[in-house]
């Protein structure tokens, strides 16, 4: 009879109640002389396999039940080493506890062992070792066959850990395997020390369920599971282990690669999965075509957690969906950092407005004919305590999404108007500057923009014609109902309305004549077309024709034109020649502080150049 250890005995199975040496008569090693006849009869007839073991660990008596369990009869067990028969020395913890019980320093030991019988069969046995009474030296050892109980537990665990539809490991078992693979002892002693994961879901699976029913959907999931298993087995050939395939829920599956050899291995596995799923599925009289989006993560196991690995895989799966589906995408730390930054900014936008973390810079708007400063555009910056100074393209879209653009827009409007009025008061002999403020269409819908503007103008004393509101072309061209009424009311008030980035949106020039617009701001892409491509090269004449036609049309409609992104004197010269009214760009100035604008007032800082 031989045994194999189940592993370290659970702490709950080791009873550490103290028994002192004085409780045991150390001069006796046998039990026979001290056992009353009645005790001997019960011991012999008991159905539970038992033996008496002396303090040296030798069996001094055994009943027939133990002989039948271990084979060879009860008499053949006397004099044998109990720990050898029951595999009690296979792990250090159990062996130590067993010796402590023999010496009377521990009250009880209970452990489970897998024992092999003489006929080759195995059984699971629960072994209990406890001291006899104080007058009897030695310990009583009992062995209970718990194989049926263990088998039941194993079957129940299998049901709990596997998906009933696909028969694949489920989410619970998958995370157990991931956690085990990420333990230091699992990757430090052998293997590559790396781990990989393909996390996928089926594109359009919901439509199958909705149109053909859940029965067909379940058959499709089972068929997909079979193909994924085939891919995993093929990938595992000539490798130490086969990737684990699991269904995580719904139409989500995962393939776990322990001891990954690098991103190339994961990429090959993802490609094989996509190829395997391309073939049609013939199910219940239906031919179905499905595809999958796969997020691929591969990294060092050290320092990685199961949660972190799954978060990275989930993020990468989302990228695969956004990038067009039916593809795999590899995790990109830089892309993820940008996403995390975006989420961090979105969660702190509203508190930042309340804390006053925003500021305004101003970019000059210069008259093309005389080079004098005519106005400024207010540009918001976020002085973030963690990420530094952020430009509008980092947070304005987020503010529009969550609605914080409304309080932020009110602050920008009030601050810009206060500043414009202050410049006017500080420079009474100079023509006053107008200030141009960007307005999101959500500000028109979610707030009373007309009332906000009227209130700020009344509070600051700024004349309405010195305020210009900029809206994007797509927002203005699609205006109807309340937005159009608001724009008309603002125009009637005397406030200027400008279309920003003109030429990139709807470009519905017929509709333009019916809008209360006073200024067109040409998108920078038109102005950049005025660049000379190289030394001695002539500019594209078509660019100039298009811009000239737009300027001429705007003037016929009574509008003025501002050119954005003017960067060279050659661009400025050509724009001035075809009648552009004002220019804005780095040729004149980058966005600057209010103090710098004060310095520029009253100076002809911007040379006109030759016509």
């Amino acid at each position: 009879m031989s045994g194999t250890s189940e592993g370290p005995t659970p702490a709950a199975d080791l009873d550490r109640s103290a028994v002192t040496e004085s409780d045991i008569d150390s001069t006796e090693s046998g039990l026979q002389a001290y056992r009353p006849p009645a005790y001997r009869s019960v011991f012999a007839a008991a159905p539970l396999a038992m033996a008496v073991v002396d303090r040296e660990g030798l069996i001094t008596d055994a009943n027939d039940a133990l002989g039948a369990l271990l084979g060879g009869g009860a008499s053949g067990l006397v004099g044998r080493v109990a720990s050898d028969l029951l595999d009690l020395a296979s792990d250090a913890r159990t062996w130590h506890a067993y010796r402590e019980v023999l010496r009377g320093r521990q009250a009880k030991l209970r452990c489970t062992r897998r024992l092999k019988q003489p006929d080759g069969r195995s059984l699971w046995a629960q072994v209990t070792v406890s001291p006899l009474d104080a007058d009897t030296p030695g310990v009583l050892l009992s062995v209970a066959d718990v194989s049926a109980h263990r088998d039941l537990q194993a079957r129940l665990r299998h049901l709990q850990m596997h998906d009933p539809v696909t028969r694949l490991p489920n989410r619970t078992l998958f995370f157990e395997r991931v956690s085990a693979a990420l333990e230091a002892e699992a990757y430090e002693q052998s293997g590559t020390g790396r781990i990989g994961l393909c996390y996928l879901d089926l594109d359009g699976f919901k439509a199958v369920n909705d149109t053909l029913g859940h029965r067909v959907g379940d058959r499709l999931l089972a068929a997909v599971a079979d193909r994924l298993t085939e891919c995993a087995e093929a990938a595992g050939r000539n490798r130490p282990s086969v990737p684990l395939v699991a269904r995580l829920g719904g139409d989500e599956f995962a393939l776990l690669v322990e001891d990954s050899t690098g991103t190339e291995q994961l990429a090959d596995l993802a490609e094989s999965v996509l190829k395997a799923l391309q073939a049609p599925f013939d199910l219940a009289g239906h031919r179905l075509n499905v595809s999958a989006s796969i997020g691929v993560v591969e990294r060092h196991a050290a320092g990685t957690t199961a949660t972190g690995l799954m978060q990275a895989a989930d993020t990468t799966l989302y990228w695969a969906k956004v990038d067009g589906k039916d593809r795999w995408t590899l995790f990109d730390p830089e892309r993820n950092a940008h996403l995390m930054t975006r989420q961090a900014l979105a969660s702190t936008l509203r508190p930042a407005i309340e804390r006053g973390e925003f500021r305004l810079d101003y970019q000059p708007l210069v008259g093309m004919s005389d080079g004098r400063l005519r106005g400024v555009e207010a540009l918001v910056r976020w002085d973030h305590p963690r990420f530094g100074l952020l430009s509008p393209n980092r947070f304005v879209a987020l503010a529009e999404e969550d609605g914080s653009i409304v309080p932020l827009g009110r602050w920008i409007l009030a601050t810009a108007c206060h500043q414009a009025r202050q410049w006017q008061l500080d420079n009474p002999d100079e023509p006053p500057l107008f200030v141009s403020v960007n307005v999101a269409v959500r500000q028109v819908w979610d707030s009373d923009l007309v009332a906000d503007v009227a209130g700020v103008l009344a509070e600051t004393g700024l004349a309405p014609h010195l305020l210009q509101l900029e809206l994007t072309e797509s927002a203005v061209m699609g205006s109807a109902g309340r937005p159009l009424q608001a724009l008309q009311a603002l125009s009637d008030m005397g406030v200027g309305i400008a279309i920003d980035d003109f030429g990139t949106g709807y470009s519905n020039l017929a509709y333009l004549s019916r809008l209360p617009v006073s200024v067109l701001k040409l998108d920078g892409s038109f102005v950049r077309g005025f660049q000379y491509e190289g030394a001695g090269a002539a500019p594209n004449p078509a660019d100039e024709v298009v811009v000239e036609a737009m300027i001429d049309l705007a003037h016929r409609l009574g509008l003025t034109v501002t050119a954005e992104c003017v960067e060279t004197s050659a661009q400025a010269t050509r724009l001035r020649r075809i009648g552009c009214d004002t220019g804005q760009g780095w040729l004149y100035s980058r966005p600057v502080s209010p103090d710098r604008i004060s310095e520029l007032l009253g100076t002809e800082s911007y040379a006109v150049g030759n016509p």
Side-chain angles (χ1 to χ4, degrees):
M1 186 72 182
S2 62
T4 58
S5 172
E6 185 193 27
T9 304
D13 287 343
L14 300 180
D15 187 340
R16 302 187 181 278
S17 302
V19 179
T20 63
E21 291 285 352
S22 61
D23 293 331
I24 300 174
D25 184 357
S26 59
T27 61
E28 296 290 338
S29 61
L31 178 67
Q32 190 66 34
Y34 297 94
R35 183 182 304 112
Y39 191 105
R40 183 72 182 98
S41 298
V42 172
F43 178 82
L48 180 64
M50 294 186 291
V52 175
V53 180
D54 65 18
R55 300 183 69 180
E56 302 301 321
L58 301 177
I59 295 176
T60 60
D61 197 3
N63 65 1
D64 293 337
L66 183 63
L69 183 68
L70 300 182
S75 60
L77 299 177
V78 176
R80 303 282 298 275
V81 178
S83 61
D84 292 343
L85 291 173
L86 300 174
D87 194 37
L88 299 179
S90 59
D91 69 82
R93 187 178 182 187
T94 301
W95 177 237
H96 173 76
Y98 174 63
R99 288 185 298 170
E100 290 295 287
V101 176
L102 288 180
R103 295 167 182 169
R105 292 200 288 262
Q106 183 169 306
K108 182 182 288 188
L109 164 68
R110 181 180 290 115
C111 61
T112 304
R113 286 292 179 269
R114 188 177 184 182
L115 307 178
K116 184 175 288 186
Q117 295 180 299
D119 60 4
R121 292 182 301 163
S122 297
L123 64 86
W124 285 97
Q126 185 177 80
V127 180
T128 303
V129 184
S130 56
L132 296 169
D133 58 72
D135 297 329
T136 307
V139 298
L140 179 66
L141 183 148
S142 63
V143 183
D145 185 353
V146 295
S147 299
H149 179 67
R150 293 279 301 204
D151 290 343
L152 177 60
Q153 284 184 323
R155 288 195 296 271
L156 291 175
R157 174 175 168 79
H158 182 84
L159 291 174
Q160 293 172 346
M161 298 294 181
H162 287 75
D163 171 53
V165 174
T166 63
R167 302 183 186 277
L168 292 176
N170 61 15
R171 176 180 289 270
T172 302
L173 181 54
F174 173 78
F175 272 96
E176 278 192 9
R177 284 285 298 270
V178 172
S179 299
L182 293 176
E183 291 182 358
E185 61 184 29
Y187 58 78
E188 287 181 349
Q189 298 178 356
S190 61
T192 63
R194 302 185 69 86
I195 190 168
L197 176 63
C198 291
Y199 181 36
L200 66 98
D201 74 4
L202 304 180
D203 301 325
F205 175 74
K206 185 177 183 298
V208 175
N209 266 347
D210 292 345
T211 57
L212 301 178
H214 289 275
R215 176 174 294 184
V216 175
D218 286 349
R219 290 185 179 182
L220 175 60
L221 291 174
V224 168
D226 290 340
R227 294 191 187 181
L228 295 181
T229 301
E230 292 173 1
C231 291
E233 291 173 350
R237 294 192 188 107
N238 303 321
R239 293 185 181 274
S241 62
V242 175
L244 172 72
V245 183
R247 181 190 177 198
L248 303 187
D251 61 338
E252 297 178 356
F253 296 85
L255 292 90
L256 176 66
V257 180
E258 300 176 53
D259 293 330
S260 164
T261 57
T263 55
E264 184 177 351
Q265 180 189 3
L266 271 294
D268 290 343
L269 178 58
E271 286 284 0
S272 70
V273 167
L274 291 178
K275 185 176 181 180
L277 296 180
Q278 287 174 354
F281 292 84
D282 293 312
L283 303 170
H286 301 280
R287 170 159 283 205
L288 304 177
N289 291 283
V290 299
S291 62
S293 300
I294 309 176
V296 178
V297 181
E298 200 281 337
R299 57 179 54 171
H300 286 287
T304 297
T305 64
T307 301
L309 185 69
M310 286 306 299
Q311 285 178 341
D314 186 58
T315 298
T316 312
L317 172 59
Y318 170 76
W319 295 343
K321 290 283 189 184
V322 171
D323 292 344
K325 303 181 180 180
D326 191 19
R327 68 191 63 219
W328 63 269
T329 301
L330 183 66
F331 180 76
D332 181 358
E334 291 186 5
R335 185 174 180 179
N336 186 63
H338 177 75
L339 177 64
M340 297 299 290
T341 300
R342 189 177 189 274
Q343 292 173 340
L345 294 178
S347 65
T348 57
L349 251 173
R350 288 184 181 273
I353 298 171
E354 297 172 0
R355 291 192 297 264
E357 293 179 2
F358 294 88
R359 79 177 202 202
L360 293 184
D361 284 344
Y362 299 88
Q363 187 168 31
L365 296 164
V366 177
M368 301 294 290
S369 60
D370 57 10
R372 293 184 67 88
L373 183 61
R374 301 289 181 83
V376 293
E377 180 181 354
L379 298 170
V380 65
R381 275 81 172 101
W382 185 356
D383 193 3
H384 197 282
R386 176 181 173 189
F387 301 114
L389 194 63
L390 303 178
S391 59
N393 62 349
R394 295 289 300 277
F395 59 86
V396 167
L398 297 176
E400 291 177 351
E401 288 176 10
D402 70 2
S404 58
I405 191 66
V406 173
L408 179 59
R410 288 196 186 104
W411 177 85
I412 295 172
L413 177 67
T415 304
C417 289
H418 275 285
Q419 183 61 65
R421 179 57 174 160
Q422 190 61 51
W423 283 322
Q424 186 180 10
L425 295 174
D426 292 343
N427 301 272
D429 297 331
E430 297 293 332
L433 298 180
F434 71 88
V435 63
S436 190
V437 176
N438 290 278
V439 175
V441 69
R442 186 162 184 175
Q443 291 176 254
V444 183
W445 282 107
D446 294 359
S447 66
D448 191 342
L449 182 61
V450 177
D452 290 343
V453 171
V456 168
L457 293 177
E459 178 185 346
T460 61
L462 186 70
H465 73 277
L466 296 179
L467 173 62
Q468 176 177 286
L469 301 180
E470 295 187 21
L471 290 91
T472 61
E473 179 183 348
S474 58
V476 174
M477 289 299 185
S479 295
R482 180 177 176 183
L484 181 57
Q485 294 171 8
L487 295 180
Q488 187 64 59
L490 291 167
S491 179
D492 293 343
M493 190 188 301
V495 174
I497 306 296
I499 299 179
D500 196 14
D501 301 326
F502 184 76
T504 60
Y506 290 90
S507 298
N508 189 334
L509 299 179
Y511 189 64
L512 181 62
S513 63
R514 299 193 293 272
L515 290 172
V517 174
S518 54
V519 178
L520 296 185
K521 297 190 71 175
L522 291 180
D523 184 70
S525 60
F526 293 101
V527 178
R528 282 190 290 270
F530 279 34
Q531 294 271 24
Y532 287 86
E533 297 180 358
N540 186 348
D543 294 333
E544 186 167 332
V545 171
V546 171
V547 174
E548 185 174 5
M550 295 171 68
I551 292 174
D552 183 61
L553 176 62
H555 287 167
R556 288 175 179 270
L557 293 173
L559 310 178
T560 61
V561 179
T562 298
E564 299 179 305
C565 301
V566 181
E567 297 180 355
T568 68
S569 58
Q571 290 172 323
T573 298
R574 297 178 65 195
L575 287 166
R576 183 169 53 257
R577 185 174 64 241
I578 60 179
C580 186
D581 300 290
T582 55
Q584 175 182 2
W586 289 1
L587 172 65
Y588 307 114
S589 174
R590 294 173 182 263
V592 294
S593 67
D595 292 341
R596 177 56 180 159
I597 296 296
S598 298
E599 295 173 2
L600 296 175
L601 278 168
T603 64
E604 295 187 16
S605 302
Y606 309 106
V608 175
N610 297 320

